[in-house]
Amino acid sequence: MNSYEAIYYRKSVRKYSMTVIPPETLDRLRNCARHLKRLDPSIDYQVDILDLTRNKIKLMGPFRVKAPYYLMISVDKSKEGAMLEAGYLAEQLVLYLTAKDIGTCYQGGLRCLNMAPARGLKQAMLIAFGYGENKIYRNQEQARRKKLSRLCVFREAIDDDMRTLLKAARLAPSAFNTQPWRFAVYSNRIHIMARDSLWNTIRSGGTELDMGIMLCHLTLAAEELWMDTTFRRDEQLAENKWKKCSYIISLINNQNNLNN
């Protein structure tokens, strides 16, 4: 299984064995973390592995699951789009672990109290991981997700490749399964919006993180299909007023050689 295939089988794992993961597996995870794809390379980031099997780590926050390890994703939150970047980075690691038969669970609101990131970075997300007590996979049909017809407005007819991108995006996890993404779809581009709501406002940055996770799914699907795609922000669209939505970014299919 590769990371793209893991999109269709991953589920949140909330019960873990406290079995130690082999050091070489953790070393490969660290190497993966050093070579992640980027949305904005100017945003500094750091990935730490918190090993609760060996160290005393103080964690505080709601909805914590008991796990032997946590990933701590930290970013420069002074930069615009930092939480979008954090989600994009985090999901790459989550799907990498899933493909290695290791369970994961996003821990929104959880904080590490006795381990601070370097270089003035701020914690963005903690992710529990380890070997699951039970199955760590599910079929995509078991995922509780909105239908594409509710998430998309189709402005033009699309081909199978573009539809595959949307299917992968639809399966992205989000906090409390809010699924904030909405898509205006054309034959050669997808304009990506975040749905506005009181809940998303209260979460402060959580929606951006969710959107970054979903953008990771789009990237992996495009790579799997050997599509030449680019994320590009259209400032004119950003200035428009959208009903109950905020414009985030656009995915452009460069193979069609058309302007957006």
Side-chain angles (χ1 to χ4, degrees):
M1 182 186 299
N2 62 25
S3 291
Y4 167 71
E5 292 165 336
I7 288 172
Y8 296 91
Y9 294 99
R10 186 223 169 230
K11 70 174 183 178
S12 293
V13 175
R14 294 181 171 83
K15 291 186 178 181
Y16 294 88
S17 159
M18 297 306 285
T19 303
V20 171
I21 293 176
E24 57 271 22
T25 301
L26 295 177
D27 285 342
R28 286 193 288 269
L29 175 60
R30 292 186 183 94
N31 185 62
C32 174
R34 288 191 290 267
H35 299 92
L36 297 172
K37 301 173 183 69
R38 308 298 307 279
L39 286 174
D40 185 350
S42 73
I43 298 174
D44 199 6
Y45 80 95
Q46 178 176 320
V47 178
D48 294 291
I49 296 176
L50 310 184
D51 184 348
L52 276 69
T53 69
R54 300 180 59 186
N55 304 307
K56 207 165 190 180
I57 306 292
K58 294 181 180 178
L59 302 175
M60 184 178 74
F63 312 116
R64 177 187 167 186
V65 302
K66 184 179 179 181
Y69 303 91
Y70 289 83
L71 283 171
M72 184 170 74
I73 315 294
S74 305
V75 292
D76 181 357
K77 288 189 177 181
S78 69
K79 295 283 190 71
E80 185 177 355
M83 292 300 287
L84 197 71
E85 189 77 16
Y88 192 74
L89 299 170
E91 186 67 357
Q92 291 175 63
L93 294 168
V94 162
L95 293 172
Y96 171 85
L97 287 167
T98 302
K100 304 299 182 187
D101 299 321
I102 296 173
T104 58
C105 185
Y106 281 98
Q107 296 284 271
L110 195 64
R111 289 292 177 267
C112 177
L113 301 181
N114 62 337
M115 185 174 176
R119 305 187 302 276
L121 305 183
K122 304 293 184 184
Q123 295 178 36
M125 173 58 67
L126 288 177
I127 302 164
F129 74 97
Y131 296 119
E133 281 191 358
N134 304 306
K135 292 181 180 179
I136 69 165
Y137 302 118
R138 53 111 175 100
N139 294 323
Q140 60 177 301
E141 292 79 13
Q142 296 173 301
R144 293 182 295 107
R145 298 292 190 270
K146 294 180 174 70
K147 294 181 179 179
L148 282 180
S149 58
R150 289 189 59 190
L151 298 174
C152 303
V153 174
F154 292 95
R155 302 295 190 186
E156 296 173 352
I158 63 171
D159 61 18
D160 289 342
D161 284 352
M162 290 291 275
R163 189 168 294 276
T164 296
L165 297 188
L166 293 167
K167 288 178 179 178
R170 171 184 172 267
L171 288 172
S174 55
F176 295 97
N177 204 27
T178 51
Q179 305 168 60
W181 34 80
R182 297 294 184 272
F183 308 104
V185 186
Y186 295 79
S187 61
N188 71 316
R189 64 200 186 279
I190 303 171
H191 297 313
I192 299 163
M193 316 286 180
R195 186 165 175 78
D196 297 331
S197 71
L198 177 60
W199 167 246
N200 291 339
T201 300
I202 291 170
R203 291 175 60 215
S204 180
T207 296
E208 261 200 349
L209 189 133
D210 289 344
M211 297 299 291
I213 291 171
M214 181 275 298
L215 294 180
C216 174
H217 282 212
L218 285 173
T219 294
L220 292 173
E223 289 182 349
E224 184 74 10
L225 296 169
W226 292 87
M227 293 174 67
D228 177 15
T229 60
T230 306
F231 287 116
R232 186 186 308 161
R233 185 167 168 84
D234 187 317
E235 294 305 327
Q236 184 175 346
L237 288 177
E239 292 174 2
N240 289 351
K241 299 293 184 183
W242 303 93
K243 185 178 180 182
K244 296 184 179 180
C245 285
S246 300
Y247 171 76
I248 302 297
I249 204 166
S250 298
L251 180 138
I252 311 300
N253 180 4
N254 299 313
Q255 291 166 314
N256 283 356
N257 244 348
L258 298 173
N259 296 323
N260 67 334

